Short mmCIF file of all heavy atoms in Angstrom, two decimals:
data_model
loop_
_atom_site.label_atom_id
_atom_site.label_comp_id
_atom_site.label_asym_id
_atom_site.label_seq_id
_atom_site.Cartn_x
_atom_site.Cartn_y
_atom_site.Cartn_z
N TYR A 997 0.88 -19.17 38.18
CA TYR A 997 1.85 -20.06 39.00
C TYR A 997 1.32 -20.06 40.54
O TYR A 997 0.62 -19.14 40.94
CB TYR A 997 3.24 -19.56 39.00
CG TYR A 997 3.42 -18.10 39.49
CD1 TYR A 997 3.63 -17.85 40.84
CD2 TYR A 997 3.27 -17.07 38.70
CE1 TYR A 997 3.76 -16.60 41.36
CE2 TYR A 997 3.54 -15.71 39.12
CZ TYR A 997 3.62 -15.44 40.58
OH TYR A 997 3.80 -14.21 40.99
N TYR A 1001 7.82 -20.82 48.07
CA TYR A 1001 9.06 -20.20 48.42
C TYR A 1001 9.72 -19.23 47.28
O TYR A 1001 10.74 -18.68 47.54
CB TYR A 1001 10.15 -21.23 48.78
CG TYR A 1001 9.73 -22.30 49.86
CD1 TYR A 1001 10.11 -23.54 49.73
CD2 TYR A 1001 8.90 -21.82 50.86
CE1 TYR A 1001 9.74 -24.43 50.69
CE2 TYR A 1001 8.64 -22.73 51.83
CZ TYR A 1001 9.06 -24.04 51.84
OH TYR A 1001 8.73 -24.84 52.86
N GLN A 1005 7.79 -19.18 40.98
CA GLN A 1005 7.51 -17.80 40.62
C GLN A 1005 8.54 -17.43 39.62
O GLN A 1005 8.34 -16.81 38.57
CB GLN A 1005 7.46 -16.93 41.73
CG GLN A 1005 7.10 -15.61 41.40
CD GLN A 1005 6.98 -14.64 42.66
OE1 GLN A 1005 7.28 -15.06 43.88
NE2 GLN A 1005 6.54 -13.47 42.45
N THR A 1007 10.61 -19.42 37.90
CA THR A 1007 10.52 -20.20 36.65
C THR A 1007 9.48 -19.66 35.66
O THR A 1007 9.56 -19.52 34.58
CB THR A 1007 10.26 -21.65 37.04
OG1 THR A 1007 11.23 -22.08 37.95
CG2 THR A 1007 10.25 -22.54 35.84
N GLY A 1014 10.31 -15.77 27.94
CA GLY A 1014 10.64 -16.46 26.71
C GLY A 1014 9.41 -16.37 25.71
O GLY A 1014 9.75 -16.52 24.51
N LEU A 1015 8.24 -16.29 26.30
CA LEU A 1015 7.03 -16.25 25.32
C LEU A 1015 6.87 -14.88 24.74
O LEU A 1015 6.03 -14.75 23.76
CB LEU A 1015 5.80 -16.67 26.17
CG LEU A 1015 5.66 -18.20 26.61
CD1 LEU A 1015 4.56 -18.31 27.51
CD2 LEU A 1015 5.63 -18.94 25.23
N GLU A 1020 1.42 -11.81 23.55
CA GLU A 1020 1.22 -10.76 24.63
C GLU A 1020 1.02 -11.57 25.89
O GLU A 1020 0.03 -12.26 26.07
CB GLU A 1020 0.03 -10.08 24.22
CG GLU A 1020 -0.44 -8.86 25.01
CD GLU A 1020 -1.68 -8.19 24.59
OE1 GLU A 1020 -1.87 -8.12 23.37
OE2 GLU A 1020 -2.51 -7.88 25.34
N THR A 1022 0.55 -12.34 29.98
CA THR A 1022 0.15 -11.89 31.35
C THR A 1022 0.63 -12.97 32.32
O THR A 1022 0.51 -14.16 32.09
CB THR A 1022 -1.38 -11.90 31.51
OG1 THR A 1022 -1.88 -10.97 30.42
CG2 THR A 1022 -1.82 -11.36 32.81
N LEU A 1026 -1.83 -17.50 41.13
CA LEU A 1026 -3.20 -18.11 41.06
C LEU A 1026 -4.27 -17.11 41.59
O LEU A 1026 -5.36 -17.11 40.94
CB LEU A 1026 -3.20 -19.41 41.88
CG LEU A 1026 -2.83 -20.67 41.14
CD1 LEU A 1026 -2.92 -21.82 42.09
CD2 LEU A 1026 -3.59 -20.75 39.91
N ALA A 1027 -4.07 -16.51 42.66
CA ALA A 1027 -5.15 -15.71 43.23
C ALA A 1027 -5.65 -14.63 42.27
O ALA A 1027 -6.73 -14.20 42.43
CB ALA A 1027 -4.55 -14.98 44.46
N THR A 1030 -8.07 -14.88 36.98
CA THR A 1030 -9.54 -14.95 36.90
C THR A 1030 -10.03 -15.74 35.64
O THR A 1030 -9.20 -15.97 34.73
CB THR A 1030 -10.05 -13.48 36.76
OG1 THR A 1030 -9.46 -12.90 35.49
CG2 THR A 1030 -9.65 -12.61 37.89
N ALA A 1031 -11.25 -16.09 35.69
CA ALA A 1031 -11.96 -16.71 34.55
C ALA A 1031 -11.78 -15.89 33.26
O ALA A 1031 -11.61 -16.34 32.16
CB ALA A 1031 -13.43 -17.00 34.85
N ASP A 1038 -4.94 -17.49 24.52
CA ASP A 1038 -4.72 -18.49 23.49
C ASP A 1038 -3.89 -19.65 23.98
O ASP A 1038 -4.00 -20.78 23.54
CB ASP A 1038 -4.21 -17.94 22.21
CG ASP A 1038 -5.00 -16.74 21.60
OD1 ASP A 1038 -6.18 -17.11 21.17
OD2 ASP A 1038 -4.71 -15.65 21.72
N HIS A 1049 5.79 -35.74 45.16
CA HIS A 1049 5.62 -36.28 43.81
C HIS A 1049 4.37 -35.87 43.05
O HIS A 1049 3.91 -36.53 42.18
CB HIS A 1049 5.75 -37.80 43.95
CG HIS A 1049 6.91 -38.40 44.53
ND1 HIS A 1049 8.14 -38.36 43.93
CD2 HIS A 1049 7.12 -38.84 45.74
CE1 HIS A 1049 9.04 -38.89 44.74
NE2 HIS A 1049 8.48 -39.07 45.90
N SER A 1053 -0.82 -30.20 48.03
CA SER A 1053 -2.17 -30.37 48.58
C SER A 1053 -2.27 -29.47 49.81
O SER A 1053 -1.35 -28.88 50.15
CB SER A 1053 -2.29 -31.94 48.96
OG SER A 1053 -1.28 -32.15 49.98
N THR A 1054 -3.50 -29.58 50.44
CA THR A 1054 -3.62 -28.85 51.68
C THR A 1054 -2.63 -29.13 52.67
O THR A 1054 -1.99 -28.28 53.36
CB THR A 1054 -5.06 -28.97 52.19
OG1 THR A 1054 -5.90 -28.71 51.13
CG2 THR A 1054 -5.37 -28.12 53.41
N SER A 1056 0.42 -30.69 52.19
CA SER A 1056 1.80 -30.43 51.88
C SER A 1056 2.01 -28.87 51.92
O SER A 1056 3.19 -28.44 52.24
CB SER A 1056 2.12 -30.95 50.43
OG SER A 1056 1.52 -30.18 49.48
N GLN A 1062 5.06 -24.80 57.66
CA GLN A 1062 5.72 -25.23 58.87
C GLN A 1062 7.26 -25.33 58.76
O GLN A 1062 7.95 -24.77 59.68
CB GLN A 1062 5.30 -26.60 59.32
CG GLN A 1062 3.76 -26.53 59.92
CD GLN A 1062 3.16 -27.88 60.11
OE1 GLN A 1062 3.71 -28.87 59.71
NE2 GLN A 1062 2.01 -27.87 60.74
N ALA A 1064 9.06 -23.44 56.68
CA ALA A 1064 9.56 -22.03 56.55
C ALA A 1064 9.49 -21.39 57.94
O ALA A 1064 10.31 -20.49 58.28
CB ALA A 1064 8.61 -21.36 55.65
N GLY A 1068 15.82 -20.60 61.61
CA GLY A 1068 16.88 -20.88 60.82
C GLY A 1068 16.72 -21.58 59.53
O GLY A 1068 17.63 -22.05 58.95
N MET A 1082 -2.93 -24.72 43.08
CA MET A 1082 -3.05 -25.16 41.68
C MET A 1082 -4.03 -26.44 41.64
O MET A 1082 -4.85 -26.45 40.69
CB MET A 1082 -1.68 -25.55 41.18
CG MET A 1082 -1.70 -25.83 39.73
SD MET A 1082 -2.38 -24.60 38.61
CE MET A 1082 -0.82 -23.56 38.54
N ASP A 1084 -6.63 -27.27 43.37
CA ASP A 1084 -8.10 -26.92 43.35
C ASP A 1084 -8.47 -26.03 42.19
O ASP A 1084 -9.56 -26.10 41.70
CB ASP A 1084 -8.39 -26.22 44.66
CG ASP A 1084 -8.42 -27.06 45.82
OD1 ASP A 1084 -8.65 -28.34 45.68
OD2 ASP A 1084 -8.11 -26.68 46.98
N TRP A 1085 -7.52 -25.16 41.75
CA TRP A 1085 -7.70 -24.25 40.68
C TRP A 1085 -7.92 -25.01 39.44
O TRP A 1085 -8.87 -24.72 38.65
CB TRP A 1085 -6.50 -23.35 40.46
CG TRP A 1085 -6.76 -22.16 39.56
CD1 TRP A 1085 -7.38 -20.96 39.84
CD2 TRP A 1085 -6.32 -22.09 38.15
NE1 TRP A 1085 -7.32 -20.21 38.71
CE2 TRP A 1085 -6.68 -20.85 37.71
CE3 TRP A 1085 -5.57 -23.05 37.35
CZ2 TRP A 1085 -6.39 -20.49 36.32
CZ3 TRP A 1085 -5.29 -22.67 36.09
CH2 TRP A 1085 -5.69 -21.39 35.58
N LEU A 1086 -7.20 -26.10 39.26
CA LEU A 1086 -7.33 -26.91 38.00
C LEU A 1086 -8.61 -27.71 38.05
O LEU A 1086 -9.24 -27.99 37.00
CB LEU A 1086 -6.12 -27.91 37.85
CG LEU A 1086 -4.77 -27.28 37.35
CD1 LEU A 1086 -3.62 -28.28 37.44
CD2 LEU A 1086 -4.89 -26.66 35.98
N LYS A 1087 -8.93 -28.21 39.28
CA LYS A 1087 -10.24 -28.98 39.40
C LYS A 1087 -11.36 -27.96 38.98
O LYS A 1087 -12.33 -28.37 38.27
CB LYS A 1087 -10.47 -29.38 40.93
CG LYS A 1087 -9.86 -30.70 41.04
CD LYS A 1087 -10.23 -31.17 42.52
CE LYS A 1087 -9.31 -32.26 43.12
NZ LYS A 1087 -9.25 -32.24 44.46
N TRP A 1095 -16.92 -21.37 29.79
CA TRP A 1095 -16.04 -20.13 30.07
C TRP A 1095 -16.52 -19.07 29.22
O TRP A 1095 -16.81 -19.23 28.11
CB TRP A 1095 -14.58 -20.43 29.71
CG TRP A 1095 -13.91 -21.22 30.76
CD1 TRP A 1095 -13.94 -22.63 30.82
CD2 TRP A 1095 -13.38 -20.78 31.95
NE1 TRP A 1095 -13.19 -23.05 31.88
CE2 TRP A 1095 -12.80 -21.94 32.66
CE3 TRP A 1095 -13.10 -19.61 32.45
CZ2 TRP A 1095 -12.11 -21.82 33.87
CZ3 TRP A 1095 -12.32 -19.41 33.67
CH2 TRP A 1095 -11.95 -20.63 34.42
N PRO A 1096 -16.65 -17.94 29.81
CA PRO A 1096 -17.06 -16.76 28.98
C PRO A 1096 -16.09 -16.39 27.91
O PRO A 1096 -14.85 -16.44 28.20
CB PRO A 1096 -17.14 -15.61 29.93
CG PRO A 1096 -16.32 -15.96 31.12
CD PRO A 1096 -16.40 -17.54 31.14
N SER A 1099 -16.63 -11.83 23.20
CA SER A 1099 -17.72 -11.87 22.07
C SER A 1099 -17.10 -11.21 20.79
O SER A 1099 -16.41 -10.24 20.93
CB SER A 1099 -18.95 -11.10 22.45
OG SER A 1099 -18.59 -9.79 22.82
#
Side-chain angles (χ1 to χ4, degrees):
Y997 63 87
Y1001 303 144
Q1005 181 178 9
T1007 304
L1015 290 170
E1020 186 184 318
T1022 302
L1026 269 184
T1030 61
D1038 300 292
H1049 304 282
S1053 62
T1054 303
S1056 75
Q1062 286 168 349
M1082 183 62 76
D1084 290 333
W1085 190 82
L1086 287 174
K1087 272 188 201 154
W1095 284 90
S1099 59

